[in-house]
Amino acid sequence: MIKKIINNLITILLFSVTIVNGQNKLSDRYNLMPWPKEIQENTNKVYINEEVTVSVNSKEGRVYDATTKFIRRLTNRTGVFINEGFPFLNKNNATIKITFNKVAEVQLNVDESYEVKVTENQVEVFAKTDIGALRGLETVLQLITYNENSFYIEGVTIKDSPRFVWRGLMIDVARHYQPLSVLKRNLDAMASMKMNVFHWHLSDDQGFRVESKVFPKLHQLGSDKQYYTHDNIKEIVSYANKLGIRVVPEIDVPGHATAILTAYPELGSKKGYDYKIERFSGVFHPTLNPINPEVYVFLDKLFAELTPLFPDHYFHIGGDENEGKHWDENYEIQKFKKKEGLNSNHDLQTFFNIKLQDILKKYNKRLMGWDEIMTKDMPKTAIIHSWRGVNEGFKNGTLSEAVKNGYQAVLSNDYYIDRMQSVEHHYLFDPLGNEKFTKEEEKRVLGGEVTMWSELVTPLTIDSRIWPRTAAIAERFWSVKEVKNLENMRKRLVKVTLQLEELGISHYKNRDVILRNIAKCNAISSLKVLTGIYEPLKIYTRNKGGTEYKSFSPFTLFADACFSDAIDAYNFKKTMNSFIKTPSESKKKKLKSYFNKWVEGYSDFIKLPPNPNTSLIKNHYEKLNELSLICIEVLNGKKITNKVKNEVNMCVKVLKLPLVDTELVILPVIKKFLNE
């Protein structure tokens, strides 16, 4: 009896260790992302063969159709010809058995928890809601692995649920219109990473992208004929709903309103102003007139038309970056401010926002806006979308102020992926930061949202700007705070990146399309070599001031083929720093292989038929070749003489300059190696 008790205690203890240390131990083996809340290993394996069957307990809700899609993904990934291509109903001995209790509405705080249990002959997925079951199916797909002879599902027991209820991706379709196919494949990718909010930024200075039957000039004059019809919107909302994803629309007012005012200039704050769709990027002056009653009649009718298209309870009104220049220049507006005791343009915008909140309330919507809407008089029912941080002069951001003042808030500061910062930067930034919040304040932090502003992206490049970094950020929103091992995250991200391609994400494919366009031939291996060590300029140093590119400029340049996390650069820097600290023959050999790769790349590059685009690259590549040859000689024992230093300096002088809006990110560590 005592022996049995001791054995039971050991089992419980081992189970606890597995749970507590799961990320450190098991994530070396399993490529799950987001990492689950609880995971325990067992020795079972369920093989994927022609006899595989899948069962669901109900045809109601989203699970049956999602399971059919799951079967297609499973067979496409493995190449296994299974006999049954559709799910059964209530087949108890099915290979994969899915059970859920109820069909849920896609809304804030919906239960997304699930359990996965792999036994000797079966994979069981259980969830309280059909949405939770969808999340579990994504985990099962990630558990598929293989050996030389078979594909199989690993033996684990998982209990999982999200840390935050708002795990979003914002796509700006105003600066560059994105077709439905682009949105759908990104919704699929979001669902695979258990994200649950698609924030659709539909209007800005560069375009109003929604058909309006009430105010048709909006899409006729304000969109360059690139807009979404009502049926298009319904299609996307329905598609997202089937994936368990909410759609939150944004119509940005009172600023960022050039496209609106191009259609209806009488609503603007500056009479006689020549409103035209903006072609550059940046912050512009056209603003709706907050003292004109017709503005509120217009917005009321517009929201009455649009809100039924979006079932979600939340409606984003923007409210950001209104500098108020046209308000300051309008005598009637200044007179109104004085009369109403409005001391600043912030106070005037609060007056405007409160009216919008009342309008939206009529249509059963809650107002959400960028953090500029947060003023002392703004009602606490508004959701604050925190975006300003160090780059905007806010050392501690704005989220803490929001939740401490009683607002619910969503964080986007440091999840601005258009800034082209590294995955590590985003991954280590937690929505709660290092703030000390009370339990009630913590509850008011709803989660976070990745923002894909589209000034510099087109349908050709958008996937490579969103993915795979957003997969790592999705883990930050879902998994416990303690899951933050960078090396392990990068290891798992390699696998996830390939799986995203199965869903149609074109980050690798379209890189090659751009490189073929640059080379004007199929021989692009030498250019691909460069994309492994060059990265796009970061934090808006590309398109500085917003005037280097117009919305119709080409985005098929070398920078558009490069990623924010150049993989060769990462591995090279890691090896070189280690070599500098503790030299070894194995590290030296690895470093030589990199330098030889760049030398051989240059040799292939100069064989390409020259054209104006490759000519822009030639000087950089030549100096990279020369520097690589110098480094190989130094690794072979050559001393760094003054002559060598001069040669290095000549190379560095060229290589430190941007190359077609990219930077050579290995240069600092090479300079360190050469004591430059």
Side-chain angles (χ1 to χ4, degrees):
M1 182 69 181
I2 293 174
K3 186 177 179 181
K4 187 176 180 182
I5 292 171
I6 290 171
N7 285 336
N8 286 339
L9 285 171
I10 290 171
T11 301
I12 292 168
L13 186 60
L14 285 172
F15 177 78
S16 299
V17 170
T18 304
I19 298 302
V20 173
N21 296 325
Q23 211 262 327
N24 294 326
K25 290 185 174 183
L26 299 184
S27 58
D28 289 334
R29 178 173 177 183
Y30 301 107
N31 293 306
L32 300 174
M33 186 173 280
W35 189 252
K37 195 172 185 179
E38 297 181 12
I39 178 170
Q40 182 189 18
E41 273 188 309
N42 60 54
T43 57
N44 297 317
K45 289 181 182 178
V46 173
Y47 287 90
I48 309 297
N49 55 40
E50 63 182 12
E51 300 301 326
V52 164
T53 55
V54 183
S55 171
V56 299
N57 67 315
S58 174
K59 271 196 169 184
E60 292 183 14
R62 304 167 180 84
V63 175
Y64 187 87
D65 288 344
T67 302
T68 302
K69 199 171 179 180
F70 166 88
I71 294 170
R72 301 294 173 272
R73 291 169 66 190
L74 181 147
T75 57
N76 286 339
R77 184 177 299 180
T78 62
V80 173
F81 286 69
I82 65 172
N83 294 327
E84 300 293 342
F86 296 88
F88 290 89
L89 277 176
N90 295 305
K91 183 178 173 68
N92 287 329
N93 64 343
T95 314
I96 301 170
K97 181 182 174 184
I98 303 135
T99 306
F100 63 96
N101 288 344
K102 66 175 183 177
V103 175
E105 183 184 343
V106 178
Q107 61 182 352
L108 193 69
N109 294 313
V110 67
D111 192 318
E112 298 176 84
S113 65
Y114 69 91
E115 296 179 20
V116 173
K117 186 177 182 182
V118 181
T119 59
E120 188 175 351
N121 298 307
Q122 191 175 59
V123 178
E124 292 183 85
V125 178
F126 172 76
K128 294 176 183 176
T129 69
D130 58 339
I131 295 174
L134 301 188
R135 309 298 182 237
L137 284 172
E138 294 296 341
T139 297
V140 172
L141 279 169
Q142 290 186 348
L143 287 169
I144 296 172
T145 189
Y146 55 89
N147 56 31
E148 187 178 353
N149 301 309
S150 305
F151 289 94
Y152 56 90
I153 295 171
E154 298 267 23
V156 293
T157 298
I158 289 172
K159 293 182 179 179
D160 200 12
S161 59
R163 181 180 172 210
F164 292 106
V165 298
W166 194 298
R167 306 179 308 281
L169 168 64
M170 192 265 332
I171 296 181
D172 165 19
V173 299
R175 274 55 177 258
H176 280 100
Y177 173 82
Q178 303 296 331
L180 298 188
S181 58
V182 172
L183 300 180
K184 285 182 177 180
R185 72 186 183 226
N186 277 282
L187 285 165
D188 285 333
M190 287 174 65
S192 76
M193 292 296 110
K194 301 178 173 63
M195 300 179 81
N196 66 353
V197 179
F198 170 43
H199 171 178
W200 204 351
H201 184 83
L202 289 161
S203 75
D204 218 295
D205 296 297
Q206 294 78 6
F208 189 93
R209 302 297 181 195
V210 186
E211 174 193 27
S212 175
K213 296 176 181 180
V214 178
F215 299 106
K217 288 182 185 177
L218 285 172
H219 66 270
Q220 291 169 352
L221 302 179
S223 73
D224 293 321
K225 295 183 168 51
Q226 291 186 310
Y227 61 90
Y228 304 99
T229 66
H230 286 200
D231 285 342
N232 292 156
I233 291 169
K234 290 173 185 175
E235 186 177 343
I236 289 297
V237 169
S238 174
Y239 195 89
N241 184 290
K242 290 174 183 176
L243 298 169
I245 294 174
R246 299 164 46 214
V247 179
V248 175
E250 179 183 353
I251 302 296
D252 202 349
V253 289
H256 287 287
T258 306
I260 293 174
L261 297 175
T262 299
Y264 295 96
E266 65 273 17
L267 303 177
S269 298
K270 189 165 185 176
K271 290 180 181 178
Y273 191 83
D274 185 16
Y275 295 105
K276 292 179 180 177
I277 294 175
E278 189 55 61
R279 305 304 178 186
F280 290 112
S281 305
V283 180
F284 304 98
H285 302 311
T287 347
L288 296 179
N289 187 340
I291 70 167
N292 181 354
E294 290 304 312
V295 166
Y296 302 104
V297 173
F298 167 83
L299 291 172
D300 194 339
K301 289 180 179 179
L302 182 64
F303 291 163
E305 178 186 18
L306 297 186
T307 52
L309 299 174
F310 299 97
D312 199 78
H313 300 310
Y314 296 85
F315 198 102
H316 204 300
I317 56 98
D320 60 317
E321 296 182 319
N322 174 23
E323 296 179 349
K325 186 173 187 293
H326 283 188
W327 288 358
D328 292 338
E329 294 172 352
N330 185 311
Y331 172 75
E332 294 299 324
I333 289 176
Q334 295 307 307
K335 185 177 171 184
F336 178 86
K337 281 170 64 178
K338 190 172 182 180
K339 177 187 172 187
E340 297 295 326
L342 302 172
N343 297 319
S344 67
N345 285 334
H346 285 295
D347 292 340
L348 180 57
Q349 186 158 333
T350 301
F351 168 86
F352 174 86
N353 291 338
I354 290 171
K355 283 187 171 290
L356 257 62
Q357 181 158 270
D358 291 340
I359 292 170
L360 288 170
K361 191 175 180 182
K362 282 169 48 179
Y363 305 113
N364 298 312
K365 302 294 182 186
R366 279 188 65 180
L367 181 146
M368 181 177 185
W370 300 104
D371 57 36
E372 287 96 330
I373 74 168
M374 181 173 56
T375 58
K376 60 182 176 64
D377 295 322
M378 193 67 201
K380 298 295 188 286
T381 50
I383 290 185
I384 306 301
H385 195 165
S386 173
W387 74 276
R388 289 179 297 176
V390 173
N391 289 308
E392 294 74 35
F394 290 77
K395 184 179 178 182
N396 298 313
T398 59
L399 180 131
S400 176
E401 179 187 354
V403 297
K404 288 181 182 294
N405 283 329
Y407 294 99
Q408 289 182 312
V410 171
L411 182 69
S412 279
N413 173 33
D414 276 302
Y415 304 129
Y416 267 49
I417 52 174
D418 63 310
R419 289 174 176 162
M420 301 307 293
Q421 292 169 284
S422 73
V423 66
E424 295 180 358
H425 171 85
H426 302 300
Y427 187 69
L428 292 178
F429 198 86
D430 191 85
L432 294 181
N434 296 314
E435 289 280 347
K436 290 184 178 177
F437 293 119
T438 66
K439 292 228 180 241
E440 286 304 309
E441 288 168 348
E442 276 194 18
K443 285 180 186 175
R444 290 199 283 271
V445 180
L446 299 178
E449 202 170 272
V450 177
T451 47
M452 182 68 260
W453 298 107
S454 70
E455 286 93 339
L456 299 177
V457 301
T458 66
L460 183 69
T461 60
I462 190 168
D463 291 1
S464 69
R465 275 41 189 156
I466 297 175
W467 308 101
R469 287 177 298 159
T470 293
I473 302 171
E475 178 163 276
R476 177 58 50 238
F477 297 160
W478 178 282
S479 304
V480 295
K481 189 174 185 177
E482 290 71 26
V483 174
K484 56 183 179 182
N485 184 295
L486 290 173
E487 283 296 311
N488 182 267
M489 176 272 289
R490 280 186 172 271
K491 185 269 298 184
R492 289 180 288 123
L493 196 60
V494 170
K495 292 287 186 183
V496 168
T497 299
L498 296 176
Q499 290 165 4
L500 287 167
E501 285 195 300
E502 297 172 11
L503 299 167
I505 297 300
S506 60
H507 48 318
Y508 286 147
K509 180 180 74 174
N510 285 355
R511 171 199 60 188
D512 293 357
V513 171
I514 295 169
L515 294 180
R516 282 192 288 272
N517 182 59
I518 291 171
K520 306 304 177 193
C521 65
N522 285 321
I524 60 172
S525 60
S526 61
L527 293 173
K528 283 174 78 170
V529 165
L530 291 186
T531 65
I533 52 177
Y534 281 82
E535 293 176 2
L537 297 175
K538 304 183 188 311
I539 316 182
Y540 307 138
T541 48
R542 183 184 187 187
N543 197 29
K544 202 164 188 177
T547 57
E548 294 178 28
Y549 292 83
K550 293 181 179 179
S551 55
F552 49 79
S553 296
F555 292 92
T556 52
L557 309 182
F558 180 65
D560 302 301
C562 293
F563 302 134
S564 61
D565 291 280
I567 189 63
D568 280 357
Y570 174 79
N571 291 324
F572 173 79
K573 287 188 284 186
K574 185 178 171 184
T575 304
M576 180 60 90
N577 280 319
S578 178
F579 178 80
I580 292 169
K581 189 176 180 181
T582 53
S584 72
E585 285 301 315
S586 62
K587 294 173 191 173
K588 184 187 291 186
K589 184 178 179 181
K590 197 171 181 181
L591 290 171
K592 283 184 184 178
S593 72
Y594 279 112
F595 289 121
N596 281 317
K597 182 177 183 179
W598 303 327
V599 170
E600 290 165 11
Y602 178 68
S603 178
D604 291 337
F605 175 80
I606 58 177
K607 295 173 187 174
L608 293 174
N611 69 61
N613 291 326
T614 54
S615 295
L616 295 172
I617 297 170
K618 187 175 185 297
N619 196 26
H620 250 255
Y621 218 153
E622 183 180 356
K623 294 305 177 186
L624 174 63
N625 172 65
E626 292 174 12
L627 188 60
S628 297
L629 290 170
I630 292 169
C631 289
I632 291 170
E633 290 180 336
V634 172
L635 285 169
N636 286 333
K638 183 175 181 177
K639 290 185 178 180
I640 304 175
T641 62
N642 285 335
K643 182 184 176 186
V644 171
K645 284 185 177 180
N646 288 335
E647 291 171 350
V648 169
N649 287 338
M650 292 291 288
C651 293
V652 169
K653 187 177 180 181
V654 172
L655 293 173
K656 70 181 181 181
L657 298 173
L659 169 63
V660 197
D661 287 338
T662 68
E663 57 185 334
L664 180 62
V665 291
I666 58 170
L667 188 59
V669 77
I670 291 177
K671 289 170 64 178
K672 182 179 176 183
F673 165 62
L674 297 172
N675 296 312
E676 168 60 28

